[in-house]
Amino acid sequence: MPTPAPRHETSRTQAKAATRQRILDVARAHLATEGAAQLSMRRIAHDVGVVPSALYKHVPTRDALLTELIKDAYRGLADHLDAAPATWARRALALREWAVGHPHEFQLIYGTPVIGYAAPADTIQPAARVLDGFLAVIDDPPDAELPEAFARQLCPLAETTHQPVGRIAAVLARLSQLVGMIMLELGGHFVGTLTPADHFYGWVVSDTVSQLSSGS
């Protein structure tokens, strides 16, 4: 049997994990009030209750903090999708449900990019989990001739998800429509015309299900 870690080491590990979680929780609160571009490590350290140098031991840069927030957002959304019944309609509704409940996190992963920040490669796998949630509930689409350049672009996703490029293309096309609608809703663009947007979104989801069923 493996030798258990000394109690003081376990306590130190737990304390480190708790501090990291506290940093992310505070950063998410700042994300809602200030926006991703205005996140301040100094103000976050103040609200966490640590000096900035202690904060940097957990997240060395603001970009590293953004990366952690992005990965956590993808994981949270993917977990929510996985908990929904395995149908396109229910997962499409779950997508909007999570977005409405976590608008600033949804905008962080799908909205306007933060100037000067480039998401590193380790965000790809968490993002692919969201795609997986929809790939798992779509039948193979009819064979379609994809433009060669487009097919090449999809190859990395095909390797990550272990899915054919045709299926990925079909899901991305429909998922992009849903994400775009949600972003318009969160941005207030339906106010006065389609509020609440439940009926519009539900109709589009039903129409998409019909297209998937007919193979169009």
Side-chain angles (χ1 to χ4, degrees):
M1 294 179 59
T3 303
R7 183 173 299 176
H8 68 276
E9 288 186 13
T10 301
S11 299
R12 198 159 47 228
T13 300
Q14 292 173 338
K16 184 177 180 180
T19 300
R20 180 187 178 278
Q21 188 58 54
R22 171 69 176 153
I23 290 169
L24 293 178
D25 289 343
V26 169
R28 271 190 288 271
H30 282 233
L31 189 67
T33 57
E34 302 170 9
Q38 301 302 319
L39 283 181
S40 165
M41 299 289 278
R42 185 172 294 276
R43 289 197 293 272
I44 290 171
H46 176 270
D47 287 357
V48 171
V50 299
V51 296
S53 59
L55 181 70
Y56 287 118
K57 291 180 181 178
H58 295 272
V59 279
T61 64
R62 189 208 63 161
D63 283 5
L65 177 58
L66 279 173
T67 296
E68 291 304 309
L69 290 172
I70 288 169
K71 291 193 293 186
D72 268 13
Y74 277 130
R75 292 186 193 111
L77 174 54
D79 288 345
H80 192 73
L81 293 175
D82 288 346
T87 69
W88 179 276
R90 295 299 295 270
R91 291 196 173 175
L93 294 173
L95 175 73
R96 178 172 176 263
E97 181 182 65
W98 189 88
V100 171
H102 305 80
H104 304 288
E105 291 173 76
F106 192 84
Q107 289 172 328
L108 176 65
I109 55 178
Y110 292 120
T112 304
V114 177
I115 295 175
Y117 171 79
D122 61 349
T123 61
I124 294 175
Q125 187 60 42
R129 276 196 59 207
V130 174
L131 186 62
D132 283 339
F134 288 95
L135 286 168
V137 295
I138 183 176
D139 294 329
D140 285 324
D143 289 337
E145 192 70 31
L146 297 180
E148 185 178 345
F150 178 37
R152 283 200 304 269
Q153 286 180 320
L154 294 177
C155 285
L157 272 177
E159 293 176 4
T160 300
T161 61
H162 307 291
Q163 298 280 351
V165 293
R167 174 180 275 201
I168 294 171
V171 169
L172 282 178
R174 292 162 175 82
L175 184 56
S176 296
Q177 181 187 28
L178 298 181
V179 169
M181 288 179 62
I182 293 169
M183 288 302 299
L184 287 171
E185 180 183 1
L186 295 180
H189 296 285
F190 294 155
V191 174
T193 54
L194 294 169
T195 49
D198 307 53
H199 307 299
F200 180 37
Y201 190 84
W203 176 78
V204 171
V205 169
S206 296
D207 186 60
T208 301
V209 170
S210 297
Q211 293 177 27
L212 293 170
S213 299
S214 65
S216 58

